Amino acid sequence: MTMNPGDQRLLLSLFFVLFAVSHADIGTAAHYSPPYLPTACYGSDPSQFPSNNLFAAAGDGIWDNGAACGRQYLVRCISAAEPKACFFGDIRVKIVDQVASAVSPPSTGGATMVLSTTAYGAIARLSVTSIDIEFTEI
């Protein structure tokens, strides 16, 4: 079967659109509870936290020697060991800390991001200690 040049261009265009849209990274997330201060990024300044309390600590894979401070990510839960742990939708989180130096311990080790209790609870059940996430820097 041969395609005419117009169909080939359309198919090629669709391929590039689909490829360009799917540029998110995959990782894991845990959660941590207060106290959140001091942080590795901004010390004891309470104004570092967004008013909606959607923030996170960066794991080694995204910490980037502190360059992660202030970065924002769209995060969504894609799976977990327990069924029906994920909630629909995504959240925007701000990196304010490094997992390795966080005052409170994470719910599980080795996570790409450790989300505040509010952030984690917005995308997954808090009773689940770790989730698989899709995240994109914005």
Side-chain angles (χ1 to χ4, degrees):
M1 177 178 168
T2 60
M3 283 199 250
N4 69 46
D7 289 343
Q8 288 176 342
R9 282 191 298 275
L10 179 64
L11 188 60
L12 190 58
S13 296
L14 284 172
F15 173 77
F16 284 120
V17 166
L18 290 173
F19 182 74
V21 170
S22 61
H23 63 280
D25 290 309
I26 303 295
T28 58
H31 60 87
Y32 69 137
S33 302
Y36 297 119
L37 293 174
T39 67
C41 293
Y42 307 104
S44 296
D45 181 5
S47 70
Q48 67 186 291
F49 302 114
S51 59
N52 60 10
N53 286 320
L54 300 179
F55 58 89
D60 291 339
I62 62 170
W63 177 242
D64 197 15
N65 292 320
C69 292
R71 286 183 185 157
Q72 294 189 39
Y73 291 92
L74 281 180
V75 180
R76 75 179 180 100
C77 181
I78 56 174
S79 67
E82 294 181 31
K84 299 181 181 176
C86 293
F87 302 145
F88 179 75
D90 55 20
I91 57 170
R92 173 187 241 161
V93 297
K94 176 184 174 184
I95 300 298
V96 298
D97 207 352
Q98 179 186 24
V99 172
S101 65
V103 175
S104 298
S107 55
T108 191
T112 307
M113 284 184 202
V114 177
L115 305 173
S116 67
T117 302
T118 303
Y120 194 94
I123 59 172
R125 288 191 334 233
L126 284 171
S127 60
V128 178
T129 58
S130 178
I131 57 174
D132 297 316
I133 58 169
E134 180 180 84
F135 63 100
T136 306
E137 184 178 354
I138 50 175

